[in-house]
Amino acid sequence: MPTYLHCAPPLALAAALGRRRVPASLMLAGVAASILPDADMLNVWYAGVRYSSVLGHRGLTHSIGFALALGLLAALAARRCGWRRGIAFLFIAASAASHPLLDLLTDRGIGTALFYPLLDRRVTLPWRPLPLTGAGLFGTARLWLECLWIGLPMLTLATLGAALRQRLDRKQPLQQGAAMATARASAD
Ligand SMILES: [Zn+2]
């Protein structure tokens, strides 16, 4: 697992989409969803579950199905939490799915059950730029690698996304104003 920056994708997405679409509470839920998949280690440590089993590390909780289920829960809770339902579903599902996708960049472990239950096999990538072997789980070497391969792309996504959103939001009131003027003119 990346050690420091599992939370980067939800933070970048929230910055790109803006506070109006992703309020602080939804952003925090996204950060939690991006970290939650590694709770499967509790099964390995405390319940004696085999590392490679479905309930072991990088199994069920590291699948797209699990991410979609979390998104569904967020959609169900959306009204109570003051979130837009569609955005809550997509944001939480994307935040949770980002976890196994980032895990795929690391070179340790037995792969990720990304497509469980459709595909039982663990998935690995031929290109894994985040070496855990040698770099260690903590420390500045690890932080630097994660900044390079996760932080920098996510910062770019946040910056470009926010710029695009501001541009679209500026256009929208103009278009709405023009539509209202046309409606008024046709009523006259
Ligand atoms: Zn993980």
Side-chain angles (χ1 to χ4, degrees), residues 1 6 37-38 57-58 62 99 103:
M1 60 166 192
H6 264 308
D38 275 346
H57 191 42
R58 294 193 179 185
H62 286 60
H99 181 108
D103 276 357

Side-chain angles (χ1 to χ4, degrees), residues 127-146:
W127 178 73
R128 288 174 283 179
L130 272 177
L132 289 173
T133 316
L137 262 182
F138 298 96
T140 43
R142 165 123 314 265
L143 181 61
W144 169 241
L145 275 170
E146 291 190 16

Side-chain angles (χ1 to χ4, degrees), residues 4-145:
Y4 300 104
L5 293 184
H6 264 308
C7 59
L11 293 177
L13 263 181
L17 293 170
R19 272 283 173 91
R20 199 154 52 88
R21 294 175 183 86
V22 181
S25 58
L26 182 56
M27 183 185 74
L28 288 176
V31 167
S34 73
I35 298 165
L36 185 67
D38 275 346
D40 59 9
M41 279 308 290
L42 297 175
N43 291 339
V44 177
W45 290 333
Y46 300 111
V49 170
R50 260 185 316 120
Y51 190 95
S52 58
S53 85
V54 159
L55 293 178
H57 191 42
R58 294 193 179 185
L60 171 70
T61 62
H62 286 60
S63 66
I64 289 173
F66 180 78
L68 292 175
L70 283 189
L72 207 57
L73 284 179
L76 291 174
R79 221 165 97 178
R80 186 170 295 192
C81 297
W83 305 333
R84 292 196 217 174
R85 184 162 287 161
I87 290 180
F89 171 76
L90 290 173
F91 183 75
I92 295 297
S95 299
S98 72
H99 181 108
L101 294 178
L102 290 186
D103 276 357
L104 285 174
L105 300 179
T106 62
D107 70 346
R108 201 186 286 171
I110 53 170
T112 301
L114 195 62
F115 302 110
Y116 182 85
L118 296 178
L119 188 67
D120 222 1
R121 198 168 57 82
R122 301 287 180 113
V123 176
T124 53
L125 286 181
W127 178 73
R128 288 174 283 179
L130 272 177
L132 289 173
T133 316
L137 262 182
F138 298 96
T140 43
R142 165 123 314 265
L143 181 61
W144 169 241
L145 275 170

